[in-house]
Each structure stands twice: as structure tokens, then as C-alpha cells.
Amino acid sequence: MANTTVEQILKLKKQRNAVILAHNYQRGEVQDIADFVGDSLELSQKAATTDADVIVFCGVHFMAETASILNPRKTVLLPDAGAGCPMADMITAEQLRQKKKELPNATVVTYINSSAAVKAESDYCCTSANGVKVVSSIDSKEILFVPDQYLGDFISKKTGKQMHLWPGYCPTHVKILPEDIIVRKKEYPHAKVVVHPECRPDVIALADEALSTSGMIRYAAREDVQELIVGTEIEIVHRLTKENPGKKFIAASKKAVCPNMKKITLEKILDSLETLTPEVKVPEAIRVKALVPVERMLEIV
Ligand code: 13P
Ligand code: SF4
């Protein structure tokens, strides 16, 4: 059954001139049929340059929205319309407008994990891969960072810039606790430790590096890394294992599962290619405003 589904997807993909983009947290079988698997930054870059007519986004809603912001004339599909990001939902455009009134001199830096409407109220966007670079490039004395307080805290420490932090967080990454890292380190004393900067600061403090998901993929390929404890969504282990035969990858916590990322299945991808739904389309008035911080981000990379 799975094979037939895969064959049908590949056939329909050609007919539709579609490209399948998948995030590193997608189910293994979804990653395996994708044209490109990557982190949020790489997926935005791919979305910005693809010549396909249809983009099938295997990820969560804000990622498909970013693809739509960059490609107003293409059809962007999110195979499950309910695949959202709870962190992105922790700030609304209205809440951000209110905060900007309280901090009229602040430059607003918004994590890509946010709605298009929130991006439209922002000066810069960033991902976990380029947040330090983006904030370092900003001259302003006052910065408001939304919505992830932990990524914001990490960037603030790295750049030495004080920032106002919105109190958002990722419900998946906060499940990784310092005790998890301590226990894993005892079990694998020779292993290196990488964690995502969405983790709590006391978890980041125990790691060798805090990296975006594709940063972790590059770190794992290093010759001196044979065992790696990975503090992020557990599905990343699929790609790490596939690309690094013989190396050992250990999830810091099996509880770190993003249920929204798991909503995309092969059957839903096939259905989506057949019906060209559910489509994600950002209204033009919001899109033109959101494009400014997204393009600034892509220029800084
Ligand atoms: P990356 O940009 O590192 O892939 O992270 C995206 C994300 O949603 C992390 O939870
Ligand atoms: Fe959002 Fe966290 Fe899931 Fe990433 S892992 S999509 S931040 S809920």
C-alpha cells in the first residue's frame, strides 16, 4: 500500500510540476519522498527560488505561509490544514501592535515561527539558523524579540544585546529537561551534545552547541563526532542516521515530539496533490508588508 502511494505521489508530482519540501521533523517516510529536506531557513530559500508551479509544504502552517509570501503566484499546499505551531499562536498581530505602542523606539525582530500577520508588523524576520547574524546586523539600541523567549535569550547572550522578550515558547522543546541531558551524558560519556535554541537556557548551558536542525545535521557529519545526544524533536534522528551510517544518535528526550509535524502523512500528500487543497494563501495586503522582513532576513544570510 505504502509503495503504491509513493508511486502515485511521484507520478502526480510530475504532472502538476510540483516540488515537495519537508522539514527535518517530518515523519521518516515523508522525508524520504521529498525533493528537499531542511530547516526553516533552507526551506524558505528553496521556496524563494523554485520554478515549480505547486509547492507541497510538509511542515507547519507558518512555513507554508512563508512560501506563499515569497511566491504569490504559485499554489502552496499544506497537506493538513490543521498543522499549526502553538508557539506561533502565542502572539497575535493585535498584541504586537499594542506592544509596539508601549515600545515606540524598538526594532521588532520576529522569529519565522509566527503568522504572516505578525510578520507584517515586524522590521526583521529570523530563523534559529541566522538569528544571531540578524540581530548583530541591527544598529538600534532597543530590540523587541517575538515570540520565542528562549531563542531570544540565546541570541541576546550571543550578541550581548539586551532585548525585550515576548514570553512565548515551544511546548515540544520545553519537555527536554536538564536532567535528561545529565542522564544521557552518564549513559554516553563520549557523546557530544547539541540542542535547539528553543530549549530552556538551563538545557542549552549543558550542551556543546545550540544549533538549528540543519546546523545539527552539519555538526553530525564532522569526523570527530561518533556519538551525538540530540536535544530537539525526535524525528531528526531519522535523517541523522540515514546520512551517517555507523554513528550513534541519541534523542535527549523521547517526549520531544511535535504532534503538528506528525499530521502530514503520505496519504494526505497524495490527496493534496490530487485536489490541490488545502491551499495556503496570504492576503495581498498582509503579504506585501510581511515580505519586507522576510526579504531582509534572506539578504542577511
Ligand atoms: P529549524 O529552523 O531549526 O528547523 O527549527 C524549526 C522549528 O520549528 C523548531 O521547533
Ligand atoms: Fe512549533 Fe515547536 Fe513544533 Fe517547531 S517543534 S513547529 S516550534 S511546536
Side-chain angles (χ1 to χ4, degrees):
M1 169 65 183
N3 261 347
T4 358
T5 309
V6 170
E7 280 163 18
Q8 283 175 273
I9 289 173
L10 298 180
K11 196 170 151 211
L12 209 48
K13 191 184 76 163
K14 258 199 186 146
Q15 285 171 10
R16 298 283 196 207
N17 187 26
V19 67
I20 302 180
L21 304 181
H23 188 264
N24 288 319
Y25 298 159
Q26 287 291 295
R27 293 169 184 274
E29 65 267 28
V30 171
Q31 294 188 31
D32 292 345
I33 56 110
D35 294 295
F36 184 79
V37 184
D39 67 4
S40 308
L41 182 60
E42 292 171 335
L43 293 172
S44 315
Q45 289 168 323
K46 282 279 164 194
T49 52
T50 181
D51 53 14
D53 296 317
V54 176
I55 300 173
V56 183
F57 218 112
C58 303
V60 292
H61 194 261
F62 74 81
M63 296 178 177
E65 271 194 332
T66 307
S68 166
I69 290 167
L70 289 161
N71 294 287
R73 276 177 285 280
K74 293 190 197 298
T75 303
V76 180
L77 303 172
L78 179 64
D80 185 319
C85 168
M87 182 214 280
D89 295 339
M90 288 178 188
I91 185 166
T92 63
E94 186 44 42
Q95 285 173 315
L96 179 52
R97 278 193 288 272
Q98 199 51 45
K99 196 73 191 168
K100 280 163 60 175
K101 275 188 199 149
E102 290 167 31
L103 304 168
N105 300 318
T107 300
V108 180
V109 182
T110 296
Y111 190 23
I112 196 159
N113 296 37
S114 53
S115 69
V118 166
K119 289 184 177 77
E121 295 293 332
S122 309
D123 298 303
Y124 289 82
C125 261
C126 76
T127 75
S128 62
N130 67 1
V132 171
K133 229 176 177 178
V134 169
V135 169
S136 301
S137 77
I138 298 169
D139 236 351
S140 161
K141 283 199 174 61
E142 205 177 357
I143 294 176
L144 167 63
F145 189 87
V146 303
D148 185 7
Q149 60 181 304
Y150 296 134
L151 176 64
D153 176 70
F154 171 76
I155 294 173
S156 173
K157 285 174 179 150
K158 282 275 178 190
T159 58
K161 293 198 185 201
Q162 287 277 337
M163 303 196 289
H164 301 276
L165 304 178
W166 190 265
Y169 63 91
C170 164
T172 297
H173 282 86
V174 296
K175 293 203 173 104
I176 303 169
L177 302 174
E179 302 86 275
D180 295 321
I181 307 288
I182 292 163
V183 169
R184 295 283 176 265
K185 273 181 152 182
K186 277 202 184 120
E187 286 170 351
Y188 298 93
H190 303 297
K192 300 269 188 203
V193 183
V194 288
V195 302
H196 199 277
E198 286 176 16
C199 288
R200 295 163 29 151
D202 50 4
V203 168
I204 294 179
L206 294 168
D208 292 299
E209 297 263 7
L211 298 166
S212 80
T213 56
S214 286
M216 291 179 186
I217 303 281
R218 286 188 289 277
Y219 189 94
R222 278 171 32 172
E223 246 170 54
D224 61 330
V225 177
Q226 290 304 321
E227 293 183 337
L228 189 62
I229 297 165
V230 198
T232 193
E233 215 275 347
I234 58 167
E235 204 80 43
I236 196 171
V237 171
H238 174 81
R239 184 168 166 201
L240 289 170
T241 310
K242 195 169 151 184
E243 292 183 6
N244 300 280
K247 294 191 181 183
K248 175 100 186 141
F249 299 103
I250 309 109
S253 167
K254 296 231 166 71
K255 290 186 185 148
V257 176
C258 176
N260 284 285
M261 286 282 181
K262 301 296 167 292
K263 286 182 180 168
I264 312 294
T265 60
L266 291 179
E267 287 70 22
K268 287 180 195 171
I269 295 170
L270 179 57
D271 198 51
S272 195
L273 274 166
E274 272 167 354
T275 60
L276 291 182
T277 64
E279 188 177 358
V280 173
K281 198 154 186 64
V282 176
E284 192 58 13
I286 292 176
R287 191 193 73 81
V288 290
K289 286 174 80 184
L291 185 61
V292 177
V294 171
E295 282 194 326
R296 276 185 188 150
M297 170 188 87
L298 292 173
E299 275 160 24
I300 291 169
V301 173

